[in-house]
Amino acid sequence: MENFDLHNHSTSSDGLLSPTELIELASRTGADAIALTDHDTTTGLAEAAEAARAAGIGFVPGVEVSVTWGETVLHVVGLQIDPESAELRQGLDSIRAGRLGRAKRIGDALAKLGFEKTFDAALALAKDERMLSRTHFARHLVERGAVRDIQAAFDKYLAKGKPAYVSHRWAELENAVRWIRASGGTAVLAHPGRYDLKPMMREEMLKQFKALGGAAIEVVTGSHRPEQYALWQREALEHGFLASRGADYHGPGESPCEPGRLAPLHGSLTPVWSTWAH
Ligand code: AMP
Ligand code: MN
Ligand code: MN
Ligand code: MN
């Protein structure tokens, strides 16, 4: 199997490495091709494409779109997108616009818990106010000694159901898939094992995603525990999805797996990249 890694972040969203540093890391780990899939933004793609040319590895332009599906936040990765597509740009723009207001509310919630001025501190760690994510708040909470690590920041304060969680409406699933496809991209359901859905909802999610034009699901990802791979491999085969593979890398010390170092996809699966001309 070729070593494609199709889900990674940079400083353009909530990663710690610049697009160039990410690509250079992926070329050292032996990836044949890598996708940059920042949250709701494509601003890092030009730099990453240039770095990939220089490093001599394949590059897949991507994005990870935030979606609200009923009570659940889903992430849909778009691969082989055209960042110049007007429909995609407008869609992503509308999502980013919502991040600032949400971040202010997260800051207010943290202030009530006794952590003052987290909004400004998180903003200092982010690219700009429209890219503020919970990850930036989590990093700041670690920095100021409120928690031991990022995971603890989510577990104690920022995850759904915790006191600084602020619910927010992201894009509709239907729109996210439409924007990705309108830009010539392939829609991939990111880390389906992270949503904590009961079997009936899981089936419903997969059916709807397929009906809307979703082409693939992530099976092997740094956001699944290895013991989850078999379930999502089965689901991909059962629902007729192509399979994707990606580290969901955010940076040194923050991710279980470096880009290009995941297990291969099982031979029974059809890799999403096998449908692309390259
Ligand atoms: P946001 O889009 O601002 O809600 O932030 C979502 C990001 O937060 C995800 O892409 C992850 O990088 C990170 N994240 C979410 N949940 C967790 C968690 N339980 N532990 C660590 N990171 C998390
Ligand atoms: Mn993230
Ligand atoms: Mn995600
Ligand atoms: Mn991600």
Side-chain angles (χ1 to χ4, degrees), residues 7 9 39 64 75 190-191 194-195 223 248:
H7 186 152
H9 296 274
H39 297 284
E64 181 173 19
H75 286 170
H191 42 64
R194 276 251 306 249
Y195 307 131
S223 285
D248 203 359

Side-chain angles (χ1 to χ4, degrees), residues 49 61 81 93 102 104 120 122-123 134 153 159 183 188 204 226 244 253 268:
I81 54 161
D93 218 51
R102 183 189 68 143
K104 285 187 176 147
D120 290 333
L123 181 56
R134 285 183 291 161
S183 81
V188 182
E204 189 56 31
S244 192
S268 60

Side-chain angles (χ1 to χ4, degrees), residues 165-180:
Y165 182 79
V166 169
S167 74
H168 181 72
R169 284 215 72 84
W170 304 102
E172 297 293 321
L173 180 60
E174 181 180 352
N175 291 337
V177 174
R178 201 184 63 246
W179 301 332
I180 290 166

Side-chain angles (χ1 to χ4, degrees), residues 77-154:
V77 163
L79 297 174
Q80 300 289 29
I81 54 161
D82 172 6
E84 299 305 320
S85 156
E87 197 168 346
L88 178 65
R89 285 171 64 146
Q90 282 160 21
L92 296 179
D93 218 51
S94 69
I95 305 178
R96 288 198 306 274
R99 282 190 173 271
L100 172 58
R102 183 189 68 143
K104 285 187 176 147
R105 292 174 61 204
I106 294 174
D108 293 345
L110 286 169
K112 284 210 185 84
L113 296 165
F115 303 114
E116 298 291 339
K117 297 194 164 69
T118 57
F119 175 87
D120 290 333
L123 181 56
L125 301 176
K127 180 144 187 125
D128 61 58
E129 53 188 30
R130 287 151 57 89
M131 269 332 299
L132 263 170
S133 94
R134 285 183 291 161
T135 311
H136 300 112
F137 283 93
R139 287 186 188 132
H140 168 63
L141 289 173
V142 175
E143 264 180 19
R144 74 194 272 160
V147 286
R148 191 182 57 238
D149 56 22
I150 303 263
Q151 193 55 55
F154 277 91

